[in-house]
Short mmCIF file of all heavy atoms in Angstrom, two decimals:
data_model
loop_
_atom_site.label_atom_id
_atom_site.label_comp_id
_atom_site.label_asym_id
_atom_site.label_seq_id
_atom_site.Cartn_x
_atom_site.Cartn_y
_atom_site.Cartn_z
N ALA A 1 13.52 -6.70 13.49
CA ALA A 1 12.41 -7.34 14.19
C ALA A 1 11.08 -6.43 13.86
O ALA A 1 10.11 -6.97 13.54
CB ALA A 1 12.72 -7.50 15.64
N ALA A 2 11.22 -5.21 14.10
CA ALA A 2 10.05 -4.25 13.78
C ALA A 2 9.73 -4.39 12.34
O ALA A 2 8.43 -4.49 12.02
CB ALA A 2 10.47 -2.84 14.16
N LEU A 3 10.71 -4.38 11.44
CA LEU A 3 10.31 -4.51 10.01
C LEU A 3 9.66 -5.90 9.68
O LEU A 3 8.78 -5.94 8.94
CB LEU A 3 11.68 -4.23 9.16
CG LEU A 3 11.54 -4.28 7.55
CD1 LEU A 3 10.45 -3.22 7.24
CD2 LEU A 3 12.84 -3.89 7.00
N ALA A 4 10.19 -7.02 10.26
CA ALA A 4 9.69 -8.32 10.15
C ALA A 4 8.28 -8.37 10.56
O ALA A 4 7.36 -8.90 9.82
CB ALA A 4 10.47 -9.33 10.90
N TYR A 5 7.92 -7.82 11.77
CA TYR A 5 6.50 -7.83 12.20
C TYR A 5 5.67 -6.95 11.17
O TYR A 5 4.48 -7.31 11.08
CB TYR A 5 6.34 -7.39 13.57
CG TYR A 5 5.02 -7.68 14.12
CD1 TYR A 5 4.57 -9.15 14.30
CD2 TYR A 5 4.10 -6.82 14.52
CE1 TYR A 5 3.32 -9.44 14.72
CE2 TYR A 5 2.78 -7.06 14.84
CZ TYR A 5 2.43 -8.41 15.02
OH TYR A 5 1.22 -8.80 15.45
N GLY A 6 6.20 -5.79 10.78
CA GLY A 6 5.35 -5.07 9.92
C GLY A 6 5.20 -5.77 8.49
O GLY A 6 4.05 -5.70 8.07
N GLU A 7 6.11 -6.67 8.03
CA GLU A 7 5.88 -7.40 6.84
C GLU A 7 4.79 -8.45 7.15
O GLU A 7 3.98 -8.76 6.27
CB GLU A 7 7.18 -7.97 6.34
CG GLU A 7 8.19 -6.91 5.81
CD GLU A 7 7.62 -6.27 4.58
OE1 GLU A 7 7.34 -6.94 3.61
OE2 GLU A 7 7.63 -4.95 4.56
N LEU A 8 4.90 -9.03 8.30
CA LEU A 8 4.02 -10.20 8.61
C LEU A 8 2.54 -9.59 8.81
O LEU A 8 1.58 -10.22 8.17
CB LEU A 8 4.33 -10.84 9.87
CG LEU A 8 3.54 -11.98 10.45
CD1 LEU A 8 3.61 -13.09 9.34
CD2 LEU A 8 4.02 -12.48 11.73
N THR A 9 2.46 -8.53 9.30
CA THR A 9 1.01 -7.94 9.40
C THR A 9 0.56 -7.36 8.05
O THR A 9 -0.61 -7.40 7.76
CB THR A 9 0.94 -6.86 10.49
OG1 THR A 9 1.89 -5.72 10.24
CG2 THR A 9 1.29 -7.31 11.86
N GLY A 10 1.52 -6.86 7.28
CA GLY A 10 1.27 -6.43 5.98
C GLY A 10 0.67 -7.58 5.11
O GLY A 10 -0.23 -7.38 4.27
N PHE A 11 1.29 -8.76 5.25
CA PHE A 11 0.87 -9.92 4.54
C PHE A 11 -0.62 -10.20 4.83
O PHE A 11 -1.45 -10.42 3.98
CB PHE A 11 1.79 -11.16 4.87
CG PHE A 11 1.13 -12.40 4.64
CD1 PHE A 11 0.77 -12.89 3.44
CD2 PHE A 11 0.64 -13.12 5.75
CE1 PHE A 11 0.11 -14.17 3.26
CE2 PHE A 11 -0.03 -14.37 5.63
CZ PHE A 11 -0.18 -14.84 4.38
N ALA A 12 -0.84 -10.29 6.19
CA ALA A 12 -2.31 -10.60 6.70
C ALA A 12 -3.37 -9.46 6.14
O ALA A 12 -4.40 -9.91 5.80
CB ALA A 12 -2.35 -10.76 8.16
N ARG A 13 -2.93 -8.37 6.27
CA ARG A 13 -3.87 -7.25 5.84
C ARG A 13 -4.21 -7.26 4.38
O ARG A 13 -5.29 -7.15 3.87
CB ARG A 13 -3.38 -5.90 6.24
CG ARG A 13 -3.57 -5.65 7.77
CD ARG A 13 -3.15 -4.31 8.21
NE ARG A 13 -1.76 -4.04 8.06
CZ ARG A 13 -1.22 -3.16 7.05
NH1 ARG A 13 -2.09 -2.51 6.21
NH2 ARG A 13 -0.08 -3.08 6.85
N LEU A 14 -3.07 -7.44 3.45
CA LEU A 14 -3.35 -7.47 1.96
C LEU A 14 -4.05 -8.75 1.64
O LEU A 14 -4.93 -8.60 0.77
CB LEU A 14 -1.93 -7.48 1.37
CG LEU A 14 -1.25 -6.17 1.35
CD1 LEU A 14 0.16 -6.35 0.73
CD2 LEU A 14 -2.10 -5.12 0.49
N ALA A 15 -3.81 -9.86 2.32
CA ALA A 15 -4.71 -11.08 2.02
C ALA A 15 -6.00 -10.89 2.38
O ALA A 15 -7.01 -11.34 1.54
CB ALA A 15 -4.08 -12.27 2.86
N GLY A 16 -6.30 -10.16 3.46
CA GLY A 16 -7.73 -9.85 3.87
C GLY A 16 -8.42 -8.93 2.87
O GLY A 16 -9.50 -9.01 2.48
N ASP A 17 -7.46 -7.83 2.51
CA ASP A 17 -8.09 -6.90 1.51
C ASP A 17 -8.49 -7.49 0.20
O ASP A 17 -9.42 -7.09 -0.48
CB ASP A 17 -7.08 -5.88 1.19
CG ASP A 17 -6.87 -4.86 2.42
OD1 ASP A 17 -7.64 -4.90 3.47
OD2 ASP A 17 -5.86 -4.05 2.48
N SER A 18 -7.68 -8.59 -0.20
CA SER A 18 -8.02 -9.18 -1.48
C SER A 18 -9.39 -9.80 -1.60
O SER A 18 -10.01 -9.87 -2.52
CB SER A 18 -6.95 -10.21 -1.80
OG SER A 18 -7.10 -11.39 -0.90
N GLU A 19 -9.82 -10.20 -0.40
CA GLU A 19 -11.21 -10.88 -0.40
C GLU A 19 -12.37 -9.77 -0.69
O GLU A 19 -13.37 -10.32 -1.04
CB GLU A 19 -11.40 -11.49 0.89
CG GLU A 19 -10.56 -12.60 1.25
CD GLU A 19 -10.78 -13.31 2.62
OE1 GLU A 19 -11.65 -12.79 3.28
OE2 GLU A 19 -10.04 -14.34 2.88
N LEU A 20 -11.95 -8.51 -0.49
CA LEU A 20 -12.99 -7.46 -0.72
C LEU A 20 -12.77 -6.64 -1.91
O LEU A 20 -13.52 -5.73 -2.17
CB LEU A 20 -13.04 -6.53 0.49
CG LEU A 20 -13.29 -7.14 1.94
CD1 LEU A 20 -13.13 -6.08 2.99
CD2 LEU A 20 -14.65 -7.72 1.94
N ALA A 21 -11.72 -7.04 -2.70
CA ALA A 21 -11.45 -6.44 -4.05
C ALA A 21 -12.60 -6.46 -4.87
O ALA A 21 -13.29 -7.50 -4.96
CB ALA A 21 -10.21 -6.93 -4.56
N PRO A 22 -12.90 -5.32 -5.64
CA PRO A 22 -14.10 -5.19 -6.50
C PRO A 22 -13.96 -6.09 -7.83
O PRO A 22 -14.95 -6.28 -8.38
CB PRO A 22 -14.17 -3.68 -6.79
CG PRO A 22 -12.84 -3.27 -6.61
CD PRO A 22 -12.11 -4.04 -5.57
N THR A 23 -12.76 -6.39 -8.21
CA THR A 23 -12.69 -7.15 -9.44
C THR A 23 -11.64 -8.33 -9.22
O THR A 23 -10.80 -8.28 -8.38
CB THR A 23 -12.10 -6.26 -10.52
OG1 THR A 23 -10.73 -5.86 -10.25
CG2 THR A 23 -13.00 -4.98 -10.70
N PRO A 24 -11.82 -9.31 -10.14
CA PRO A 24 -10.84 -10.45 -9.85
C PRO A 24 -9.36 -9.95 -10.31
O PRO A 24 -8.47 -10.58 -9.56
CB PRO A 24 -11.25 -11.34 -11.05
CG PRO A 24 -12.80 -11.12 -11.28
CD PRO A 24 -12.83 -9.60 -10.98
#
């Protein structure tokens, strides 16, 4: 369960980070 929530938040953070990435 801890790992699952970590993966779920990891998904959200990486998706958000992608919007600020400096290159396509």
Side-chain angles (χ1 to χ4, degrees):
L3 185 50
Y5 192 67
E7 293 292 309
L8 185 59
T9 57
F11 155 74
R13 285 184 296 108
L14 286 171
D17 290 346
S18 71
E19 297 180 359
L20 301 175
T23 65

